[in-house]
Amino acid sequence: MRYPEFLKENGTIGFVAPSFGCSTEPYRTAFNHALDKWKKEGYGIDIGPNCYENSGVGISNTPEKCAEELTEWYCRKENDILISCGGGELMCEVLPFVDFERIRKADPKWYLGYSDNTNMTYLLTTLCDTAAVYGPCAASFGMEPPHPSIKDTFAMLRGKKLSFESYELYEKESLKSEENPLAPYNCTEPVRSRFFVPDSKGKLKESSKVKLQGRLLGGCLDCLANLSGTEFDRTREFCEAYREDGILWFLEACDLNVFSIRRALFQLKHTGWFAHTAGFVFGRSLNGGAMMDLDEAGAVLPVLEEYRVPVILDADFGHLPPAIPLICGSMAEIGGISGKITISMSLC
């Protein structure tokens, strides 16, 4: 596993838009405010050509132009890390035009993004053996005041912090709008994760505590199910190569409802992705409410029970912020007690 150098003081932050850019409100104002803050802190800025574009379908520009920006900005020496402008819908269409072989041969560089950016964070890890950060996109750094999770993510990018614990509250309804583009997270709901451990017969039972250890791999389930079985899918080879570590899956969903989540897990399970698994950690799903007597536990647990490993639900990441930043490809220890989790990542 290749780990990039952390961002140094007065280093240069690069920005790309392989999914949505920051051309419209409230994202444009929030992004520009984040840039102003970084400049005042002494950091250089290297903005890709698509960051303010809005000429694509589900992405900032054409797939070819998005792929060109992504490849060039990852490989160029003028920036030290990359932060994606935002999530979106069709970043998958960019992938055929990305030069992953060139990226694999380049010096490793931290890439930060989530949601649709799973198409980069996950493939950097599984195709290029290069760690990436699953966490907030660029515009989120413009909020005022910044949430502790935003400060934590930037501390991670600078190598100042690799251990985190659950935040107290999460956001159910955002206050961010065109009229209020710098609104902070509207955290009103208590954070409470649920822990399930296998009993002597392998049945997953709810527990007050849990402990997991393994190599982190995952992202947005919407994107992962879409990647499975394509020419970009090297997951089974990756899991085999790191089998001694055990794979610790972190997963969350955006558009998928509980039935879609269960179907997606069925897909990944029967594509062979979950060999050598050490456990599963599910973040908060945006549309994971109960339907027809099926809740998220019912969507997840019966599918994964045969692996006889611990499962965490409603962990502090996903499409309902805040989110603990997760290094895809790193080794991690996760502990849980009384509805809260702690996670420590190591670069080995």
Side-chain angles (χ1 to χ4, degrees), residues 154-183:
F154 198 60
M156 170 184 278
L157 292 173
R158 291 180 292 140
K160 305 296 185 182
K161 189 172 184 180
L162 294 177
S163 296
F164 306 89
E165 58 186 27
S166 295
Y167 305 105
E168 292 300 317
L169 302 170
Y170 74 92
E171 176 184 271
K172 194 171 184 180
E173 298 291 339
S174 175
L175 297 179
K176 194 171 184 176
S177 65
E178 292 184 12
E179 294 74 27
N180 193 14
L182 305 184

Side-chain angles (χ1 to χ4, degrees), residues 168-242:
E168 292 300 317
L169 302 170
Y170 74 92
E171 176 184 271
K172 194 171 184 180
E173 298 291 339
S174 175
L175 297 179
K176 194 171 184 176
S177 65
E178 292 184 12
E179 294 74 27
N180 193 14
L182 305 184
Y185 293 144
N186 179 35
C187 296
T188 59
E189 309 301 311
V191 170
R192 183 166 179 81
S193 300
R194 300 175 65 190
F195 314 133
F196 298 85
V197 297
D199 62 17
S200 58
K201 296 181 179 179
K203 187 76 173 176
L204 284 168
K205 299 292 187 180
E206 193 155 8
S207 174
S208 62
K209 59 183 179 180
V210 72
K211 186 174 183 180
L212 305 87
Q213 182 175 343
R215 190 169 294 275
L216 284 174
L217 186 64
C220 182
L221 193 55
D222 309 45
C223 301
L224 295 174
N226 192 56
L227 288 173
S228 67
T230 69
E231 68 266 37
F232 307 103
D233 182 3
R234 297 292 183 271
T235 302
R236 285 179 294 177
E237 293 88 338
F238 180 90
C239 293
E240 185 65 30
Y242 292 96

